[in-house]
Amino acid sequence: MTKKVAIFISGSGSNMVALVKSMQTLQFALPTLVLSNKRDAIGLNKAKDLKIPTVCIEAEKLAGCDLNFEAAIQKELENFNIDIICLAGFMRVLSSKFVDFWQGKILNIHPSLLPKYIGLNTHERVLENHEEVTGCTVHEVTRKLDCGRILGQATVPIFPDDNVEAIKSRVLEKEHMLYPKTLEQFCLGRSDLIIM
Ligand code: GAR
């Protein structure tokens, strides 16, 4: 049966748009829900324009914070019968309990060539270290931040006069190709590593 996909965002949601459009075009899965932990996330409006149901759950507004936050998320995922979660610029770390529950069904995109540059400010660190190449990685989400099984990677060059903004947009462009392709293979049960 067609898998139902929830996409988690916190900001501009450009990867979410790429994922939704590819699912709408190629129909390998059903884009079913966009969930944001930020009410002002620009991506929420983009999801509405694409006619995808949205929910916003802000941890800061819930008593008991993390536990209730994830319980509220879980309830929405069950309401929508979600099979797969794609984190796409979702800037909040999920608990081990939540990640364990979704093990093998939750993916993330990270703006570096993992295992290099786990965590935040990847492009700044790439520049500081005078790397000649960087990129993005789609991986399974596990308890250890940015360390799950790698499913796909795409590289981009670093130029001598580069800056963070230029690298960010070059990497994002690749993310928009890598994440849909990797999700498609994942939904079809294919385990070959995607390299772009
Ligand atoms: C993307 O570059 C994604 O790789 C990154 O946030 C950006 C979201 O952009 N994710 C992380 O840094 C996760 N640690 P988008 O909202 O336009 O898709």
Side-chain angles (χ1 to χ4, degrees):
M1 220 166 63
T2 312
K3 302 254 189 263
K4 292 186 174 178
V5 175
I7 304 167
F8 287 15
I9 62 167
S10 301
S12 82
S14 67
N15 276 289
M16 177 275 295
V17 171
L19 287 169
V20 168
K21 287 188 170 167
S22 78
M23 285 185 261
Q24 287 177 336
T25 308
L26 301 173
Q27 303 194 342
F28 56 82
L30 198 64
T32 303
L33 177 68
V34 171
L35 185 146
S36 172
N37 66 326
K38 298 280 170 203
R39 194 153 297 279
D40 58 359
I42 295 166
L44 282 173
N45 289 329
K46 295 181 185 171
K48 285 174 191 150
D49 290 345
L50 290 160
K51 311 268 184 277
I52 309 299
T54 59
V55 289
C56 177
I57 301 170
E58 292 187 300
E60 301 76 10
K61 305 240 161 85
L62 293 169
C65 217
D66 270 9
L67 268 182
N68 288 346
F69 173 65
E70 291 184 352
I73 291 180
Q74 185 65 25
K75 198 165 155 227
E76 292 293 348
L77 297 173
E78 282 166 16
N79 282 345
F80 283 88
N81 288 315
I82 296 301
D83 300 300
I84 294 174
I85 300 171
C86 289
L87 307 183
F90 185 70
M91 304 308 277
R92 194 175 169 98
V93 177
L94 294 159
S95 72
S96 299
K97 185 179 168 210
F98 185 90
V99 166
D100 285 352
F101 183 88
W102 285 94
Q103 197 184 340
K105 298 173 189 167
I106 177 165
L107 311 184
N108 180 45
I109 187 146
H110 183 77
S112 78
L113 293 174
L114 291 173
K116 284 179 129 181
Y117 304 107
I118 287 166
L120 298 173
N121 304 318
T122 54
H123 309 315
E124 285 84 346
R125 289 184 283 148
V126 157
L127 267 182
E128 276 162 23
N129 288 339
H130 307 286
E131 299 279 9
E132 288 177 358
V133 63
T134 186
C136 48
T137 303
V138 176
H139 64 95
E140 286 192 36
V141 176
T142 54
R143 286 181 174 210
K144 212 168 160 204
L145 186 73
D146 300 330
C147 284
R149 183 167 70 103
I150 292 174
L151 305 174
Q153 282 191 316
T155 53
V156 304
I158 304 284
F159 301 120
D161 58 348
D162 246 333
N163 58 59
V164 169
E165 278 311 306
I167 298 170
K168 187 177 166 188
S169 83
R170 207 175 303 133
V171 170
L172 255 186
E173 207 175 300
K174 276 288 176 83
E175 290 186 19
H176 299 161
M177 294 184 265
L178 180 71
Y179 210 174
K181 187 73 208 158
T182 310
L183 177 64
E184 182 187 8
Q185 296 296 301
F186 186 77
C187 288
L188 297 174
R190 296 193 188 134
S191 57
D192 329 345
L193 179 66
I194 310 283
I195 300 288
M196 287 183 164

